Amino acid sequence: MNVPILFEDDYIVCASKPNNVVVHHAHHSRNVADEASLLQLLQEQCGEKMYPIHRLDRKTSGIILLAKKSEYVAKFQELFMNNQIQKTYYGIVRGHAPETKIIDSPVKGRDANVHKEAETHLATEKKVTINIPVKPYDTSRYSLVKLTPKTGRLHQLRIHMNKISHPLIGDPKYGDKNHNMMFLENFNCENLFLHAHSLEFIHPYSNKKLEVIADFPQDWNTVFEKFGW
């Protein structure tokens, strides 16, 4: 598997992570240890070790930042912590989502007993109604949404979309299995439709403004064509 490199300099690599690739193998995830992690794939591809600066769900595709040396990680992580990185995601969701909405419902952290404040800004870009029945309706409705997280909680976007009754398509945990099955049967698409599309920030070492964009995976192009998007 070749991982697309979107930007590279002396300090970082911006890569486009495919769906269903774990960033690195945690100690508790040995059951997937036979699958190559993103770090392993990039090390083989680029011939050097890299250090992840932030997280991206295994099932989510799109931009991830990695440092070339461990000592570079902290300065980039500060940008995330101080909300100085503009992150834009896209999702395909069930139903016709609101034109705009701020979702600020708390999300459980990595310590599952503690809820933490979380905020997501949503803007709906496209809507469609198609003549494929999904129980209990004769047709099905979908929206393309632009999501801007203001916090970085575990599964935040997936939980927030479920919270407003517009779950992401292809989400096995928080989604709607009937709609997930419709996409699989009609479009041969079973991946999660959540994509980390762009990052914008001032590079802490060069002081240059960077905007990095990751192309949509093939599944998205299939659906865009089917929906006339």
Side-chain angles (χ1 to χ4, degrees):
M1 184 188 295
N2 196 52
V3 178
I5 304 296
L6 308 171
F7 173 83
E8 182 177 1
D9 64 9
D10 293 339
Y11 303 95
I12 55 169
V13 167
C14 301
S16 184
K17 188 184 86 62
N19 289 100
N20 301 316
V21 173
V22 69
V23 174
H24 57 85
H25 292 305
H27 293 297
H28 59 268
S29 62
R30 291 301 171 202
N31 59 320
V32 294
D34 56 331
E35 300 171 21
S37 69
L38 184 74
L39 290 184
Q40 289 168 331
L41 290 168
L42 284 170
Q43 189 168 343
E44 286 173 20
Q45 191 173 316
C46 302
E48 57 185 314
K49 192 172 181 182
M50 294 179 200
Y51 304 86
I53 291 163
H54 61 119
R55 294 190 297 266
L56 205 56
D57 276 0
R58 174 193 176 93
K59 291 192 173 296
T60 305
S61 60
I63 294 183
I64 187 159
L65 288 186
L66 307 113
K68 289 191 169 181
K69 291 186 179 176
S70 58
E71 56 262 39
Y72 298 153
V73 171
K75 273 204 174 186
F76 288 95
Q77 282 184 339
E78 278 176 29
L79 298 179
F80 282 96
M81 288 169 66
N82 298 329
N83 211 17
Q84 292 174 307
I85 287 192
Q86 173 83 15
K87 296 175 283 183
T88 302
Y89 289 73
Y90 279 91
I92 296 177
V93 301
R94 178 191 74 187
H96 285 175
E99 295 303 320
T100 59
K101 190 173 181 67
I102 295 174
I103 310 152
D104 59 2
S105 122
V107 167
K108 283 183 183 178
R110 290 188 173 268
D111 174 357
N113 297 318
V114 179
H115 280 76
K116 295 185 176 180
E117 286 185 7
E119 186 177 313
T120 302
H121 293 206
L122 173 151
T124 296
E125 300 215 336
K126 305 273 187 184
K127 296 179 183 177
V128 71
T129 301
I130 59 171
N131 290 318
I132 297 177
V134 177
K135 289 181 183 176
Y137 302 107
D138 295 333
T139 58
S140 41
R141 307 198 302 181
Y142 302 100
S143 301
L144 175 69
V145 295
K146 181 179 176 181
L147 301 169
T148 311
K150 299 301 179 181
T151 50
R153 308 300 179 207
L154 180 68
H155 294 177
Q156 175 178 320
L157 299 178
R158 295 166 65 183
I159 292 168
H160 273 176
M161 294 316 298
N162 180 49
K163 188 84 178 176
I164 64 166
S165 299
H166 294 290
L168 288 153
I169 300 301
D171 192 329
K173 186 170 184 179
Y174 308 102
D176 181 318
K177 65 178 189 297
N178 291 328
H179 287 267
N180 294 350
M181 186 57 69
M182 192 287 275
F183 268 65
L184 177 60
E185 290 176 350
N186 290 275
F187 309 141
N188 196 29
C189 296
E190 60 181 330
N191 287 323
L192 173 67
F193 278 90
L194 179 61
H195 181 67
H197 184 254
S198 67
L199 287 179
E200 239 180 284
F201 59 96
I202 304 293
H203 195 300
Y205 289 95
S206 70
N207 289 318
K208 289 181 180 174
K209 185 177 181 181
L210 275 183
E211 182 181 11
V212 189
I213 295 172
D215 288 339
F216 289 107
Q218 184 53 46
D219 278 1
W220 291 71
N221 296 323
T222 299
V223 172
F224 288 165
E225 195 176 308
K226 299 276 187 189
F227 289 178
W229 288 351

